[in-house]
């Protein structure tokens, strides 16, 4: 080398010093993940070693400038050759040694230094000679692809920075990266802080970058947006945040909660400013890998872009269902439950604490409250530090006192929302229909006040005060779909009766002491079809229930067909007209075949089949008769029709008789046989209305379970039908019937049925009496023509209203302050949730008291409208009067002295989640105040309307959102002009945003609809 070559580098130290320093570095430097090492051509490095070992500065072995020419494929791209071998083609030197050599000898002009990173491969550390070479492109221009090399130790954020620089992406743009492998599948690179190695990026893959659109959507997954027209897709500009959410199917609960959180200023601004990107926690085992936070951010940015009428939150719904299986599908849920999950999920996804330390909680042990509270809050923040904690978390004091040793345990616990109870009334208002004994009196609707924890006897007593009828003469029944869903015993709880049930109370006749005992008879009305049901495999007639059923007290001796026919005609006199003498109702002889077929083929079983069936099931029939009264004591909570006792006033005696095997069935049949024996003449056979009794068969359509029928009912019905065997007509009866060419036709026929109104398969001996083989239910079957002539449907449906129905129900109103006071009252723990006393060394039902210590910036108050106890389940519709401004908690806080500069706990309302409906179904909406213009809006799924402050306080309010006054910022925009120049105010429900499909005019009336989802 010439002297000019040496001038490019600094004057090196002595050759021995060089050799000693470099060899020391090569010997002592260990591989450490992330460190930089450099690739040096093996030939140059060998020449350098030879040079320093000679000790002659003027030696001909001088290596000259560092030259890696032999390692490159070409000198244009400086791409490293493939399959180079360490210590044959190159050597690796640590960064410190490289910098010394570079200072001493310099480097050939134009050549890049070959810096390589140490990567932590499974079970080994290795210098990465060949980095990952990947292709980079933008989602908006997939044809413009560039190639770049990254170390496996580099993080994804370095790739994003390189792409932003290479593609001139405007600073501040929100980007996200996708990894595309050779099989064309794409995967999100969510965690920008993970290494290329951990992200499984390898050479040949493509990284695609996309930037968020102005409307808050992403180009790669543009969601469905509800538009009024295609032309408005890019032209619509509305108020930010005034955007509906489409109901995906029973998702109004989710929409209501999202609208309330969307209008919580500190949380929404945090997401709109993309502050969440730097705080996403992908390693928290309690979190959702940042997916819930990202999905929520997407919804918020779309809603606040001002470019959508309504957003479809389908991706968010899918993410919620993925991480909380209770929200999978499209069932109805509670908005507060979703809110609780969402706040907890957002907190864990955005928790700034990456590694939670174990902290042992200490009891107060007599220390001052201030000291214990500060310690508890400090410990809480050591494990939980997120925007959710900053915004929503407060602290309350919990005091437990052991009832035995009086040990006092004091702890301070954080809370995210307050669930405050509502004062529960001990009384309940019920609406029932009273059916008098007077056949010409219409049913009367009454409104009675009964104890919530009362029994059916209490309902009868309350009704007795209005009707002057003794409670002992009343029977209460639930009527559903023209039959008795349940007949209640007097000692059953009223909690099993829902407000929407149709409850009928029937007056029974007075039973004298000497008078024979009565049978409680349930009477159904059925209509026979015009046509036989040949498609069911039989040629019998189908029947369908109609009208209102009745309950009658019938003496045992009056249970013959003839007596029952007259009794039913008398009982139905108000809407069933008796035939005039001039109206001859005669049946021709050709009708006998149909009548015989109708009687002999009960439920589609022929005579031969019936005989075999009768022989096969006869023992089970007797067993069913014995067990019937026992089965009647069914659980009140299960909607299974009971088998009412034959004598309703003496249940124990009837039960005893049935157990002895000589119960009411045998007695009833004996009286019927005696009655039939007295009718021996032809006239008694031909002219007696009872001779036309039929055993109607049900068609398959009629045998299907009624709506609301439970599996137990269906099984019970199947058992009864199997146990009751038909008795075929005898030859003598057939002969006697054919001997009557004409006979008087009755208005209806009487048939024994089960509780659902389907035909029993047995009749009384000779067809002259009704057989109550398992339960006293009968039906009167009407021919359609006879029903049309003699049954007055309009009159049958009429009823009167008692004066109690005219008295308006006063809506109970409670103050929010009362609910908060209830929250802080002393209560005793339930047996299911005892407290372990450390002194007594056992679980105790301690007394518990909660006190508010510190309150958050945004206070969420959950009104516990859904009340669940051991005996009752109800929704409380009381109006809670909550203030819209200046809600002062100063008197509720246990800590009276505020520290310097600490604001007063005074709050203004910013949002309300509403629930309309009852326990089983309902609809959620929300009111919210826009943070930018200060205007209140009413959000009902995809519809958004203006709202006035007087509309906000209703009995539907369920979850309240309050913002502390010292944190409230003044609106940056003027309120919208909701009134025209004529100063005539527009309706407060004027629609702001609405989908085309849902934009039907609803008139000027209030927009709130009570429909279920």
């Amino acid at each position: 080398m010439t002297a000019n070559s040496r001038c490019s580098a600094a004057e090196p130290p002595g050759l021995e010093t060089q050799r000693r320093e470099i060899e020391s570095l090569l010997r002592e430097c260990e591989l450490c993940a992330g460190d930089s090492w450099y690739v040096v051509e093996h030939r140059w490095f060998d020449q350098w070693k030879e040079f320093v070992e000679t000790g002659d500065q003027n030696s001909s072995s001088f290596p000259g400038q560092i030259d890696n020419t032999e390692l490159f494929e070409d000198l244009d791209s400086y791409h490293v050759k493939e399959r180079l071998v360490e210590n044959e083609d190159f050597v690796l030197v640590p960064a410190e040694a490289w910098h010394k050599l570079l200072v001493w000898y310099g480097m050939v002009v134009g050549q890049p230094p070959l810096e390589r990173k140490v990567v932590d491969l499974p079970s080994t550390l290795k210098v990465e000679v060949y980095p990952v070479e990947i292709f980079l492109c933008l989602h908006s221009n997939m044809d413009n692809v560039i190639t770049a090399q990254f170390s496996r130790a580099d993080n994804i954020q370095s790739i994003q920075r390189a792409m932003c620089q290479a593609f001139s992406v405007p600073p501040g743009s929100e980007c996200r990266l996708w990894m595309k492998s050779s099989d064309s599948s794409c995967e999100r690179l969510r965690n920008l802080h993970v290494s290329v190695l951990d992200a499984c990026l390898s050479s040949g893959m493509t990284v695609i970058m996309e930037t968020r659109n102005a409307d808050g959507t992403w180009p790669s997954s543009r969601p469905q947006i509800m538009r009024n027209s295609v032309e408005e897709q890019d032209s619509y500009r509305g108020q930010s945040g005034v955007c509906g959410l489409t109901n995906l199917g029973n998702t109004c609960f989710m929409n209501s909660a999202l609208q309330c959180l969307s209008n919580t200023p500190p949380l929404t601004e945090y997401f709109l400013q993309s502050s969440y990107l730097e705080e996403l926690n992908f390693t928290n085992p309690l979190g959702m890998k940042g997916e819930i936070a990202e999905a929520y951010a997407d919804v918020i940015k779309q809603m606040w872009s001002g470019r959508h009428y309504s957003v479809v939150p389908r991706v968010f719904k899918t993410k919620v269902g993925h991480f909380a299986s209770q929200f999978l599908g499209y069932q109805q849920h509670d908005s507060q439950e979703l809110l609780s999950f969402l706040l907890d999920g957002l907190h864990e996804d955005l928790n700034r604490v990456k590694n939670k330390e174990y902290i042992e909680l200490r009891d107060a042990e007599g220390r001052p409250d201030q000291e214990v509270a500060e310690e508890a809050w400090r410990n809480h923040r050591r494990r939980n530090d997120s925007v959710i904690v900053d915004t929503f978390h407060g602290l309350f004091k919990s005091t437990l006192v052991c009832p035995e040793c009086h040990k006092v345990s004091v702890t301070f616990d954080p809370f995210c929302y307050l669930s405050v109870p509502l004062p529960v009334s001990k009384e309940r208002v019920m609406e029932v229909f009273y059916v008098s004994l007077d056949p010409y009196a219409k049913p009367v609707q009454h409104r009675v006040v009964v104890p919530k924890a009362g029994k059916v006897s209490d309902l009868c007593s309350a009704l007795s005060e209005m009707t002057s009828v003794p409670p002992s003469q009343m029977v209460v029944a639930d009527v559903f779909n023209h039959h008795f869903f349940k007949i209640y015993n007097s000692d059953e709880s009223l909690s099993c009766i829902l407000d929407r049930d149709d409850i009928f109370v029937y007056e029974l006749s007075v039973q004298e002491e000497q008078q024979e005992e009565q049978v409680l008879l349930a009477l159904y009305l059925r209509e026979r079809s015009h046509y036989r049901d040949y498609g069911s495999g039989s040629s019998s007639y189908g029947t369908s229930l109609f009208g209102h059923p009745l309950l009658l007290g019938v003496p045992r001796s009056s249970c013959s067909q003839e007596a029952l026919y007259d009794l039913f005609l008398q009982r139905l006199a108000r809407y069933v007209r008796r035939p005039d003498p001039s109206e001859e109702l005669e049946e021709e002889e050709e009708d006998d075949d149909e009548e015989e077929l109708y009687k002999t083929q009960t439920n589609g079983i022929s005579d031969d089949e019936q005989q075999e069936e009768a022989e096969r099931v006869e023992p089970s029939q007797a067993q069913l008769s014995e067990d019937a009264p026992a089965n009647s004591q069914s659980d009140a909570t299960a909607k299974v029709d009971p088998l009412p006792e034959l004598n309703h006033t003496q249940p124990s005696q009837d039960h005893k008789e049935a157990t002895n095997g000589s119960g009411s069935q045998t007695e009833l049949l004996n009286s019927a046989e005696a009655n039939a024996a007295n009718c021996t003449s032809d006239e008694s056979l031909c002219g007696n209305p009872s001779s036309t009794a039929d055993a109607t068969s049900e068609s398959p359509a009629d045998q299907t379970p009624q709506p609301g029928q439970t599996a137990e009912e269906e099984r019970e019905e199947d058992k009864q039908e199997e146990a009751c065997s038909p008795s075929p007509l005898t030859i003598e009866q057939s002969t006697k019937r054919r001997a009557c060419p004409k006979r008087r036709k009755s208005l209806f026929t009487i048939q024994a049925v089960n509780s659902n109104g389907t035909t029993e398969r047995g009749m009384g001996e000779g067809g002259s009496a009704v057989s109550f083989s398992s339960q006293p239910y009968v039906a009167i079957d009407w021919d359609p023509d006879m029903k049309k002539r003699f049954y007055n449907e309009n009159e049958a449906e009429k009823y009167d209203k008692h004066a109690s129905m005219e008295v308006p129900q006063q809506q109970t109103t409670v103050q929010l302050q009362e609910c908060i006071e209830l929250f802080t009252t002393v209560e005793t723990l339930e047996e299911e949730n005892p407290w372990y006393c450390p002194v007594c060394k056992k679980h105790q039902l301690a007394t518990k008291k909660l006190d508010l210590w510190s309150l958050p910036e945004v206070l969420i108050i959950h009104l516990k409208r859904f009340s669940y106890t051991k005996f009752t389940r109800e929704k409380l519709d009381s109006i809670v009067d909550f203030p819209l401004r200046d809600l002062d908690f100063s008197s509720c806080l246990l800590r009276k002295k505020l520290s310097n500069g600490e604001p007063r706990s005074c709050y203004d309302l910013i949002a309300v989640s509403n629930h309309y409906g009852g326990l089983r179904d309902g609809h959620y909406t929300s009111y919210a105040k826009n943070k930018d213009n200060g205007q209140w809006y009413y959000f009902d799924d995809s519809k958004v309307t203006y709202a006035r402050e007087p509309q906000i306080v209703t009995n539907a309010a369920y979850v309240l959102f309050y913002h502390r006054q010292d944190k409230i910022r003044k609106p940056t925009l003027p309120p919208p002009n909701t009134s025209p120049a004529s100063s005539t105010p527009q309706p407060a429900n004027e629609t702001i945003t609405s989908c085309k499909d849902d934009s039907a005019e609803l008139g000027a009336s209030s927009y709130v609809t009570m429909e279920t989802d």
Side-chain angles (χ1 to χ4, degrees):
M1 271 295 181
T2 64
N4 291 336
S5 300
R6 301 189 187 196
C7 294
S8 61
E11 189 67 25
L15 297 183
E16 181 62 24
T17 304
Q18 291 183 38
R19 185 185 66 80
R20 189 169 58 249
E21 290 183 6
I22 297 301
E23 286 183 355
S24 174
L25 290 173
L26 288 174
R27 186 172 56 253
E28 295 176 1
C29 281
E30 296 181 355
L31 296 179
C32 185
D35 286 354
S36 293
W37 286 59
Y38 286 81
V39 178
V40 179
E41 186 187 16
H42 189 270
R43 183 194 57 78
W44 185 92
F45 191 74
D46 280 348
Q47 191 168 351
W48 171 82
K49 284 199 298 182
E50 181 183 343
F51 174 63
V52 295
E53 285 173 357
T54 61
D56 184 5
Q57 292 278 3
N58 297 317
S59 171
S60 60
S61 60
F62 177 72
Q65 293 176 314
I66 302 173
D67 187 3
N68 290 331
T69 302
E70 296 298 323
L71 301 180
F72 298 116
E73 288 183 350
D74 58 74
L75 298 181
D76 294 328
S77 64
Y78 290 107
H79 193 274
V80 178
K81 292 180 180 178
E82 298 290 336
R83 300 184 181 85
L84 296 177
V85 180
E86 187 179 1
N87 295 326
E88 289 185 9
D89 300 314
F90 65 89
V91 293
L92 293 171
V93 297
E96 188 176 352
W98 164 262
H99 290 304
K100 287 180 179 294
L101 292 174
L102 187 63
V103 170
W104 297 336
Y105 297 94
M107 192 169 187
V108 174
V109 178
Q111 281 192 12
L114 297 179
E115 181 185 7
R116 296 294 185 260
K117 294 288 182 70
V118 178
V119 293
D120 187 4
L121 298 176
S123 72
T124 183
L125 290 171
K126 188 176 181 181
V127 177
E128 180 186 44
V129 178
Y130 292 99
V132 176
E133 188 174 273
I134 56 179
F135 303 105
L136 309 177
C137 66
L138 291 177
H139 183 271
S140 57
N141 187 4
M142 304 280 281
D143 296 328
N144 182 20
V145 181
I146 63 173
T147 304
Q149 291 184 343
F150 297 94
S151 168
R152 291 172 178 81
D154 290 338
N155 57 25
I156 303 300
Q157 196 168 29
S158 63
I159 300 179
Q160 181 172 304
R161 282 196 297 264
M163 295 184 71
C164 289
Q165 184 177 357
F167 295 111
S168 302
V169 176
S173 300
E174 187 176 349
C175 309
R176 65 180 186 181
L177 303 181
W178 294 84
M179 175 177 67
K180 181 181 179 182
S181 57
S182 56
D183 59 357
S184 301
S185 62
C186 290
E187 182 182 345
R188 270 284 310 280
L189 295 171
R190 298 181 180 278
N191 191 351
L192 298 182
H193 303 289
V194 74
S195 67
V196 172
L197 177 64
D198 293 336
C200 300
L201 266 174
S202 58
S203 296
M205 287 187 174
T206 302
V207 174
I208 306 170
M209 184 171 72
E210 61 175 340
T211 56
R212 192 186 289 272
N213 297 325
D215 64 353
T217 60
W218 293 100
S220 62
S221 57
R222 184 178 179 88
Q224 304 172 16
I225 306 297
M226 303 300 292
R227 304 286 189 181
N228 278 358
S229 64
V230 177
E231 294 78 11
E232 294 182 3
Q233 285 192 3
D234 298 316
S235 62
Y236 176 74
R237 296 294 184 273
Q239 172 62 47
S240 298
V242 183
C243 175
L245 290 170
T246 302
N247 193 322
L248 305 174
N250 282 336
T251 58
C252 58
F253 72 97
M254 181 183 76
N255 295 345
S256 176
L258 284 176
Q259 291 289 6
C260 291
L261 281 181
S262 169
N263 287 278
T264 301
L267 186 63
T268 296
E269 289 169 2
Y270 172 85
F271 280 96
L272 292 180
Q273 294 167 5
S274 299
S275 303
Y276 72 99
L277 292 175
E278 294 299 321
E279 297 183 350
L280 285 171
N281 190 333
F282 298 97
T283 59
N284 187 353
L286 301 178
M288 289 80 175
K289 313 301 180 188
E291 293 187 37
I292 286 292
E294 287 187 332
Y296 178 77
D298 288 346
V299 173
I300 293 299
K301 293 199 173 189
Q302 292 170 37
M303 293 174 64
W304 285 84
S305 67
R307 303 193 179 206
H308 305 305
Y309 291 103
S310 180
V311 171
V312 182
R314 193 179 304 279
V315 175
F316 178 80
K317 168 73 173 63
T318 303
K319 294 292 184 185
V320 169
H322 176 70
F323 291 105
S325 58
Q326 66 267 31
F327 296 113
L328 275 174
Y330 297 93
Q331 302 300 316
Q332 299 188 28
H333 293 285
D334 191 306
S335 68
Q336 187 272 333
E337 291 179 2
L338 175 85
L339 192 65
S340 175
F341 161 77
L342 182 54
L343 289 176
D344 185 61
L346 290 176
H347 160 65
E348 297 296 353
D349 271 0
L350 301 170
N351 198 345
R352 304 175 186 115
V353 180
K354 307 303 180 184
N355 298 308
K356 295 186 177 184
E357 57 181 312
Y358 172 75
I359 300 174
E360 187 173 352
L361 300 179
R362 294 174 55 198
D363 198 73
E365 298 175 349
R367 292 180 293 162
D369 284 350
Q370 184 71 29
E371 177 185 341
V372 181
E374 290 176 357
E375 178 186 78
W377 185 248
R378 191 165 54 248
N379 290 339
H380 178 60
R381 294 304 295 257
R382 284 165 64 185
R383 291 174 54 87
N384 304 278
D385 184 16
S386 69
V387 65
I388 303 300
V389 177
D390 300 338
T391 308
F392 297 100
H393 281 208
L395 202 65
F396 61 67
K397 176 185 176 182
S398 174
T399 306
L400 290 166
V401 180
C402 177
E404 190 171 315
C405 68
H406 304 291
K407 156 73 177 175
V408 179
S409 173
V410 176
T411 57
F412 285 81
D413 303 306
F415 67 87
C416 190
Y417 51 85
L418 294 180
S419 289
V420 298
L422 273 63
V424 180
S425 172
K426 294 184 179 180
E427 293 182 333
R428 169 186 179 185
V429 177
M430 295 183 66
E431 294 182 2
V432 299
F433 291 91
Y434 174 73
V435 182
S436 170
L437 266 179
D438 182 1
Y440 294 96
K442 300 174 187 174
V444 182
Q445 188 179 21
H446 291 261
R447 183 177 288 157
V448 294
V449 180
V450 295
K452 271 188 180 176
K455 298 185 176 181
V456 173
S457 57
D458 296 317
L459 171 61
C460 295
S461 299
L463 193 60
S464 175
E465 296 179 4
M466 297 183 178
T467 59
S468 302
V469 175
S472 59
Q473 290 178 233
M474 296 182 182
V475 178
V476 180
D478 181 357
V479 176
F480 174 74
N481 208 13
H482 311 296
H483 72 281
F484 290 119
F485 197 76
K486 184 176 178 64
I487 300 176
Y488 294 96
N489 296 322
S490 59
D491 59 346
E492 288 192 70
S493 174
L494 288 175
S495 61
C496 59
I497 299 179
L498 304 180
D499 289 336
R500 65 181 184 182
D501 291 342
D502 292 325
I503 302 300
F504 283 72
V505 181
Y506 297 89
E507 179 187 357
L508 301 179
S509 56
V510 182
Q511 185 174 0
E512 303 295 340
E513 293 184 3
Q514 289 79 18
Q515 189 179 359
E516 61 177 314
E517 60 181 354
Q518 293 185 343
V519 176
L520 180 63
L521 195 62
L523 174 64
Y524 293 156
L525 305 180
R526 301 194 304 182
E527 180 179 4
R528 277 188 283 175
S529 61
H530 275 289
Y531 306 101
R532 293 176 180 172
D533 190 9
Y534 292 101
S536 64
S538 70
S539 53
S540 58
Y541 289 96
T543 60
S544 59
L545 292 167
F546 71 93
H548 296 291
L550 291 173
L551 282 173
L552 304 88
V554 183
R556 287 186 180 275
S557 60
S558 301
C559 289
S560 65
Q561 292 273 1
E562 181 180 8
L564 289 179
Y565 182 86
D566 293 334
L567 177 63
F568 293 165
L569 267 183
Q570 178 185 356
R571 193 69 181 84
L572 305 175
R574 182 169 62 88
Y575 43 89
V576 173
R577 179 176 66 85
R578 287 178 179 268
D580 295 332
S582 59
E583 294 179 284
E584 287 297 328
L585 305 177
E586 292 183 349
E587 292 187 70
E588 296 299 330
E589 185 174 1
E590 54 265 26
D591 292 338
D592 287 348
D593 293 337
E594 293 185 7
E595 198 66 36
E596 293 297 324
L597 186 62
Y598 180 67
K599 292 182 64 62
T600 57
Q601 292 198 349
T602 306
N603 288 321
I605 300 180
S606 63
D607 291 347
D608 296 337
E609 293 171 337
Q610 286 179 345
Q611 184 64 35
E612 295 175 7
E613 185 75 13
E615 294 173 359
R616 185 166 61 251
V617 303
E618 188 173 357
S620 63
Q621 179 180 351
Q623 181 64 37
L624 181 61
S625 176
E626 286 185 4
D627 293 341
N631 291 339
S632 68
Q633 305 299 324
S634 60
D635 188 354
T637 58
K639 281 282 190 178
V640 181
D641 289 342
L643 307 181
E645 298 142 359
L646 293 178
N647 184 355
H648 213 64
T649 56
Q650 296 180 356
S652 59
Q653 183 65 25
D654 285 342
H655 182 77
K656 183 177 180 182
E657 289 178 2
T659 307
N660 293 335
S662 58
S664 57
Q665 179 189 357
T666 308
E667 200 172 313
L668 186 59
L669 291 178
N670 289 341
S671 66
E673 290 169 9
N675 196 327
N678 295 330
C679 304
T680 55
S681 64
D682 285 347
E683 183 178 352
S684 67
L685 287 171
C686 299
N688 190 344
S690 65
S691 62
T692 61
D694 294 332
T696 319
S697 173
E698 293 294 319
S699 66
D702 294 320
Q703 290 178 352
T704 57
Q706 300 288 352
Q709 182 173 340
T710 62
E712 288 83 353
E713 287 176 284
E714 296 178 39
R715 289 195 296 270
E716 182 68 23
E717 183 178 331
D718 293 340
K719 290 178 183 177
Q720 291 163 2
E721 290 185 359
E722 290 174 7
C724 302
S725 60
S727 55
L729 288 174
T730 62
I731 299 176
E732 292 82 3
Q733 289 172 326
S734 309
T735 306
K736 288 179 181 179
R737 291 190 184 279
R738 283 195 291 271
C740 304
K742 290 187 178 181
R743 57 175 178 260
R744 175 179 292 277
K745 185 178 180 181
S746 58
L747 298 182
F748 49 78
T749 58
I750 302 173
Q751 180 65 44
V753 295
N754 60 19
S755 61
N756 293 317
T758 53
T759 305
E760 290 291 331
R761 292 185 177 177
M763 290 185 62
E765 183 68 28
S768 59
V770 177
S771 170
F772 304 105
S773 59
S774 59
Q775 53 193 3
Y777 290 81
V778 297
I780 56 175
D781 292 341
W782 289 80
D783 183 79
D785 295 331
M786 300 295 284
K787 178 190 169 191
K788 186 175 181 181
R789 292 174 59 186
F790 298 100
Y791 182 85
N792 188 337
E793 290 194 40
N794 292 334
E795 183 64 30
E797 294 297 324
K798 290 181 180 179
Y799 67 96
D800 293 329
K801 287 191 176 184
H802 188 260
S804 59
M805 296 295 297
E806 306 300 328
V807 179
Q809 288 185 270
Q810 293 185 351
Q811 185 73 48
T812 307
T813 302
V814 297
Q815 299 296 320
L816 179 60
Q817 200 70 22
E818 297 178 47
C819 301
I820 297 171
E821 289 173 0
L822 274 176
F823 175 77
T824 57
T825 54
V826 179
E827 62 177 357
T828 303
L829 296 179
E830 297 179 350
E831 294 182 2
E832 296 82 5
N833 187 29
W835 169 67
Y836 183 79
C837 177
V839 177
C840 300
K841 303 297 183 183
K842 61 180 180 179
H843 289 90
Q844 299 280 14
L845 299 181
T847 59
K848 181 179 181 180
K849 187 179 190 307
L850 297 177
D851 293 291
L852 299 176
W853 181 263
S854 63
L855 297 177
E857 176 183 346
V858 176
L859 177 62
I860 302 176
I861 300 178
H862 165 225
L863 304 177
K864 296 170 72 173
R865 291 196 176 275
F866 298 100
S867 173
Y868 300 97
T869 67
K870 292 180 181 178
F871 310 104
T872 60
R873 296 172 66 247
E874 63 177 333
K875 184 197 173 186
L876 306 175
D877 286 323
S878 307
I879 292 180
V880 178
D881 190 5
F882 51 89
L884 273 61
R885 295 180 185 83
D886 302 323
L887 174 60
D888 194 352
F889 275 91
S890 301
S891 60
C892 303
L893 286 177
L894 189 63
R895 183 183 51 156
K896 301 300 181 184
K897 293 182 180 180
L898 301 178
S899 58
N900 293 334
E902 189 172 352
R904 290 175 58 243
S905 299
C906 209
Y907 290 82
D908 287 353
L909 187 73
I910 56 172
V912 180
S913 175
N914 303 309
H915 177 265
Y916 301 96
L919 282 173
R920 298 183 179 179
D921 49 28
H923 183 58
Y924 285 93
T925 65
S926 56
Y927 288 105
K929 187 177 182 180
N930 187 276
K931 68 181 181 68
D932 291 340
N933 62 14
Q935 171 67 38
W936 280 94
Y937 294 93
Y938 179 68
F939 298 90
D940 184 358
D941 289 334
S942 57
K943 297 187 181 70
V944 185
T945 55
Y946 288 121
R948 291 195 301 262
E949 290 187 355
Q951 295 176 309
I952 296 172
V953 179
T954 67
N955 64 343
Y958 184 45
V959 184
L960 313 177
F961 286 69
Y962 279 96
H963 198 183
R964 202 168 61 213
Q965 289 181 345
D966 67 294
K967 294 289 186 177
I968 297 178
R969 288 184 292 189
K970 293 183 179 180
T972 57
L973 299 175
N977 182 18
T978 58
S979 301
S982 63
S983 75
T984 303
Q986 292 179 340
N989 60 332
E990 180 189 358
T991 300
I992 308 303
T993 68
S994 174
C995 311
K996 188 172 184 179
D997 295 339
D998 300 324
S999 59
E1001 288 294 330
L1002 297 176
S1005 60
S1006 177
Y1007 167 67
V1008 180
T1009 55
M1010 302 296 288
E1011 61 196 12
T1012 59
D1013 283 331

